[in-house]
Amino acid sequence: MVVVMDMNSTEEQIEIVNRRLDQLGFNTQMIRGVKRIVIGAVGDRPVNDLRDLQQMPGVEKIVPIMKPYKLVSREGKEDATVIEVRGIKIGGETVTIIAGPCAVETREQLLTAARQVKAAGANIIRGGAFKPRTSPYSFQGLEEEGLAILKEASLETGLPVITEVIDEHSLQLALDYVDLIQVGARNMQNFRLLKAVGQTDKPILLKRGMSATIEEWLMAAEYIMSEGNGKVILCERGIRTFETATRNTLDLSAVPMVKRLSHLPVIVDPSHATGDRGLVLPMSMAAIAAGADGLILEMHPEPASALSDGPQSLTPEGLQQVMQQLARIMPAVDRRLSN
Ligand code: PEP
Ligand code: MN
C-alpha cells in the first residue's frame, strides 16, 4: 500500500507516520513527488489494522496496491518521476538523448565520438567498458582503462557518461568513473546485481531482457527500488520473436504500456532493437512520437571499423540527422530536448 500524505503535512507528521509503519512491520520508502509525499509501505498486515493510520495527522489516504511491483507502480505515485543527473533531466516534459559507441575501443576513438555526440546536441555519452558478448572470443572491453577514458570524455565535454556493468566487481569499479549505470538485457534478471545497483545512488538504466515480459521487467526495476534507489530508467531495446530480418523486434507498444503501469521514465534503444543503422532514424522518430522519454543510440566515428555493433551504429552525420528530425517531432508531442 501507499500512504498518501496531505499536501500541507509537516516533516514531523511524516516522520511520525513513518515510525508507526516501521512498528507495524512495514518496509517503508519515501517517495517525494513534485506536489506531495507518499510513503510506500510493503508488508502483509491486514487492512483492518490500518484504520488508526488513516486517522493520523497529515495522512490524506491509504491506497492498497494490487500490482506485484509496489514502488514502481503508478498506483502508488501518479506523477512521472524525473531523474536529474548533473543538471540533465530524464523524464517529465523533456527528451534525453544518450549517444556514443557500443564499446570504448581506444582513447582517441572515444574522445572523438564524445566530441561528435556533443556537437550533435545529445545530452549523455555512452560507451561500454565491459562488454557482455555472445562469444567469449569477441572483444570484451577495456575495463578500467575504458572507464578512465569515459571520465576524461566527461571532463572535456561537460556531459555525463553511462556505462554497462556486468557484475558486482565491474559495478564497484564503475562507481568512481561514471554518472549513470546500465544493466544490460542479459542481466535483467541477475537479481544480485539488481540489488547491488539498488544500493548505489547512481541513476540506473535498466534494459528489458530479450525475452522478458513487461511484468518481469517491472519486477526487475522493483528489485532496484526496493534497495532504496528510486532512480531507475527503463529501456526498451527489442525482444526476441520469430522475425529474423531485424536483430530484435522493437516493441514500441511497451512504451505507452509501461508509462501507464509505472511512473518511471522509459527510453528506447533503436540500435540494438533493429541491428541496422538504416532503421535507427525512423524508429527514433516513432519512439519519441509514442511518448518515450529519450533514446540511447549507438554512434561510432567510423562504424566500418567498430569492434562491436558496427552495422547498427550511426555515423556522426547520421546522429546529426536524427537530432534534426527529432527537433521536428518533439514539438508535435509537446516535448523538448533536455538541456
Ligand atoms: C549495449 O548497450 O551495448 C548492449 C549490450 O545492449 P543490450 O544489453 O540491450 O543488448
Ligand atoms: Mn552494442
Side-chain angles (χ1 to χ4, degrees):
M1 63 170 185
V2 287
V3 180
V4 181
M5 298 302 293
D6 192 90
M7 214 117 66
N8 306 312
S9 58
T10 64
E11 283 297 324
E12 198 193 347
Q13 289 171 335
I14 295 166
E15 182 50 39
I16 294 171
V17 172
N18 211 7
R19 232 178 296 141
R20 179 73 187 127
L21 286 165
D22 236 30
Q23 287 167 351
L24 289 168
F26 284 98
N27 242 322
T28 63
Q29 206 168 127
M30 207 80 86
I31 308 170
R32 284 176 193 270
V34 190
K35 290 198 220 103
R36 58 173 87 242
I37 288 180
V38 303
I39 306 173
V42 184
D44 50 14
R45 203 85 183 183
V47 186
N48 277 352
D49 288 12
L50 306 175
R51 285 223 185 93
D52 68 319
L53 270 177
Q54 181 84 66
Q55 307 305 326
M56 291 178 76
V59 173
E60 185 185 307
K61 59 179 173 185
I62 292 176
V63 185
I65 296 188
M66 308 315 285
K67 294 280 193 294
Y69 38 87
K70 310 287 179 194
L71 303 169
V72 164
S73 172
R74 269 247 191 225
E75 289 177 312
K77 181 173 181 287
E78 255 172 64
D79 54 335
T81 288
V82 179
I83 294 165
E84 201 163 330
V85 54
R86 288 177 47 197
I88 291 176
K89 291 196 168 79
I90 306 167
E93 277 148 33
T94 56
V95 163
T96 308
I97 308 297
I98 306 172
C102 179
V104 183
E105 299 169 359
T106 64
R107 179 169 175 272
E108 209 205 316
Q109 170 252 14
L110 196 274
L111 291 180
T112 304
R115 289 172 197 137
Q116 291 163 338
V117 167
K118 184 171 170 114
N123 309 107
I124 298 174
I125 296 164
R126 66 153 285 153
F130 303 91
K131 295 308 301 176
R133 304 305 298 282
T134 301
S135 163
Y137 309 116
S138 301
F139 175 59
Q140 304 283 310
L142 295 184
E143 306 194 345
E144 194 163 6
E145 189 191 339
L147 294 174
I149 296 170
L150 282 167
K151 184 157 191 170
E152 189 182 345
S154 175
L155 286 173
E156 191 195 299
T157 57
L159 299 182
V161 288
I162 179 167
T163 208
E164 177 173 355
V165 298
I166 52 173
D167 53 19
E168 285 165 79
H169 174 69
S170 52
L171 170 64
Q172 288 317 316
L173 285 175
L175 289 176
D176 289 336
Y177 293 96
V178 302
D179 306 288
L180 301 96
I181 298 286
Q182 177 175 326
V183 173
R186 291 157 191 79
N187 275 309
M188 191 208 82
Q189 284 189 320
N190 180 340
F191 299 116
R192 284 182 67 102
L193 184 60
L194 295 175
K195 285 189 180 182
V197 299
Q199 285 160 14
T200 74
D201 60 0
K202 304 264 188 199
I204 309 299
L205 180 76
L206 176 65
K207 290 206 164 186
R208 179 180 183 180
M210 56 186 89
S211 55
T213 64
I214 288 173
E215 181 159 305
E216 287 164 341
W217 184 21
L218 296 178
M219 288 307 285
E222 186 80 8
Y223 260 91
I224 299 172
M225 285 194 74
S226 70
E227 293 294 321
N229 187 350
K231 293 183 254 178
V232 181
I233 304 148
L234 298 161
C235 177
E236 163 62 40
R237 47 77 74 204
I239 50 175
R240 277 266 165 95
T241 66
F242 54 81
E243 183 55 71
T244 54
T246 46
R247 182 175 179 182
N248 292 287
T249 297
L250 178 54
D251 180 10
L252 264 193
S253 58
V255 173
M257 178 53 85
V258 167
K259 290 188 84 73
R260 179 193 292 173
L261 297 172
S262 173
H263 54 84
L264 294 173
V266 189
I267 72 164
V268 167
D269 175 347
S271 308
H272 292 87
T274 63
D276 180 337
R277 98 167 55 83
L279 301 181
V280 170
L281 171 63
M283 297 326 285
S284 294
M285 295 198 291
I288 298 306
D293 296 302
L295 301 170
I296 181 165
L297 303 166
E298 286 189 340
M299 188 237 45
H300 195 285
E302 260 182 72
S305 63
L307 293 182
S308 62
D309 288 350
Q312 69 194 35
S313 295
L314 293 168
T315 60
E317 299 73 38
L319 176 62
Q320 286 179 3
Q321 205 189 346
V322 171
M323 297 303 290
Q324 282 159 13
Q325 292 301 320
L326 292 184
R328 285 149 41 92
I329 298 282
M330 288 183 293
V333 288
D334 296 328
R335 305 294 281 268
R336 62 192 157 77
L337 190 66
S338 186
N339 39 325

